[in-house]
Amino acid sequence: MTASDQETPTDAPAPLADVPPPVDADVPPLADVPPPADADAPAPAVAPVPPLADADAPASEPEGLTPRQARVLRITVASVVLVVLGAVLAVRLASRTSVLVVGVYGLAMILCGVVIELSRHGRTRLGTYLLGTGLVAALAADWLLLP
């Protein structure tokens, strides 16, 4: 087979510059479009756009505590309550020695320790509910059970 026997493609695609744009029968060419009726009228007033917030300006902070702050706050509150309950237990034992006093205040102190651990592990709402309910129960038991 020789070079002349090989067929060269004659149907090569035309370059894009040579291809005419498609003609749409419904759309007139741009030259035939009449100018708008109010072309001589002044442009409508545009409302001014407020400037964007500066990147240097502090962003508005969300309300409330971050999860870390909530954990630290609940750990601190439970620790303070634990110390107060220890002091109250010492005062109550000095005035009246009773197993019931040790039981009520001992359980409240254990509850404070549980709340501290729950807060350390991110269960702050559960810890708050337990601490509030436990303190109310301890005060009610002190008022109702202890003479």
Side-chain angles (χ1 to χ4, degrees), residues 13-79:
L16 291 178
D18 295 340
V19 176
V23 177
D24 192 2
D26 297 337
V27 179
L30 290 178
D32 296 341
V33 175
D38 58 350
D40 296 332
V46 177
V49 177
L52 296 175
D54 294 334
D56 298 335
S60 61
E61 295 184 20
E63 294 182 22
L65 299 173
T66 64
R68 180 181 174 99
Q69 290 171 333
R71 283 194 305 268
V72 169
L73 178 67
R74 283 167 180 93
I75 288 172
T76 305
V77 168
S79 300

Side-chain angles (χ1 to χ4, degrees), residues 13-134:
L16 291 178
D18 295 340
V19 176
V23 177
D24 192 2
D26 297 337
V27 179
L30 290 178
D32 296 341
V33 175
D38 58 350
D40 296 332
V46 177
V49 177
L52 296 175
D54 294 334
D56 298 335
S60 61
E61 295 184 20
E63 294 182 22
L65 299 173
T66 64
R68 180 181 174 99
Q69 290 171 333
R71 283 194 305 268
V72 169
L73 178 67
R74 283 167 180 93
I75 288 172
T76 305
V77 168
S79 300
V80 167
V81 170
L82 180 65
V83 170
V84 168
L85 285 173
V88 170
L89 176 63
V91 169
R92 295 287 282 186
L93 283 176
S95 67
R96 170 181 318 115
T97 304
S98 170
V99 174
L100 195 54
V101 171
V102 173
V104 167
Y105 287 101
L107 285 175
M109 291 171 68
I110 290 171
L111 182 68
C112 288
V114 168
V115 169
I116 290 171
E117 282 301 308
L118 284 172
S119 295
R120 284 185 58 222
H121 293 288
R123 307 301 297 177
T124 53
R125 277 190 225 137
L126 177 62
T128 303
Y129 298 146
L130 280 176
L131 185 62
T133 328

